[in-house]
Amino acid sequence: MAAVREGLPDGRYGRSADQRADRKLKIIGAVLGAGLLGVVGWAGVSYISGQELSGRVISWDAVSDHAVKVHLEVVKDAADKGVCTLRSQAADGSEVGRKDVTIDQRTGQVDTEVTLRTTKRATNAVLVGCTSSSEGSSSAS
């Protein structure tokens, strides 16, 4: 009877001769991967927490060929002030109106109606963005 050998012969089938080196590489890869995930998570949290004002357009209505009424909602800390920029476009995609709205109310959530003047009939109204500041260039109406 032939002796049954357990396992595969050394050096065949792509096996590494030094399994300890393979283990070290796996550990180093896991540590580097965990570090990368930590950095990405930290960057995401710092980006989100760094935004002091967040706003959105609730609704808009083209009330005439030269005006759009926009319902804007901004969430912020009660003491924060800032400026939100609204933009409107025509059917051909050209910008027909832009307005900076000062948000300085002492509440955590601000709902305001803004009239955006346009050069021709608007087909949308979008919030470009909100930034924190101590002063703005126009007031919310």
Side-chain angles (χ1 to χ4, degrees):
M1 253 204 240
V4 177
R5 185 173 193 192
E6 302 225 0
L8 297 173
D10 290 335
R12 287 195 184 174
Y13 308 110
R15 286 196 155 192
S16 172
D18 188 5
Q19 290 181 348
R20 284 187 292 165
D22 288 347
R23 180 181 164 113
K24 285 181 185 178
L25 286 175
K26 287 179 185 177
I27 291 171
I28 291 171
V31 169
L32 290 176
L36 179 63
L37 283 175
V39 168
V40 169
W42 173 77
V45 167
S46 66
Y47 175 75
I48 291 171
S49 65
Q51 291 183 337
E52 297 171 3
L53 293 165
S54 84
R56 66 182 181 140
V57 172
I58 302 296
S59 64
W60 63 272
D61 183 28
V63 293
S64 73
D65 285 345
H66 297 287
V68 176
K69 186 174 275 191
V70 181
H71 180 188
L72 177 66
E73 176 188 76
V74 179
V75 178
K76 63 181 187 66
D77 289 336
D80 287 344
K81 294 180 181 181
V83 176
C84 292
T85 303
L86 295 169
R87 174 175 84 156
S88 188
Q89 294 175 304
D92 63 1
S94 63
E95 184 174 291
V96 294
R98 181 177 284 259
K99 184 174 186 175
D100 291 333
V101 181
T102 301
I103 306 297
D104 58 1
Q105 294 87 342
R106 298 275 180 198
T107 59
Q109 179 174 340
V110 177
D111 283 314
T112 186
E113 294 267 333
V114 178
T115 300
L116 180 61
R117 302 285 176 204
T118 61
T119 56
K120 60 183 180 180
R121 186 100 181 147
T123 59
N124 69 4
V126 292
L127 177 65
V128 175
C130 294
T131 57
S132 293
S133 73
S134 57
E135 322 176 28
S137 58
S138 67
S139 66
S141 51

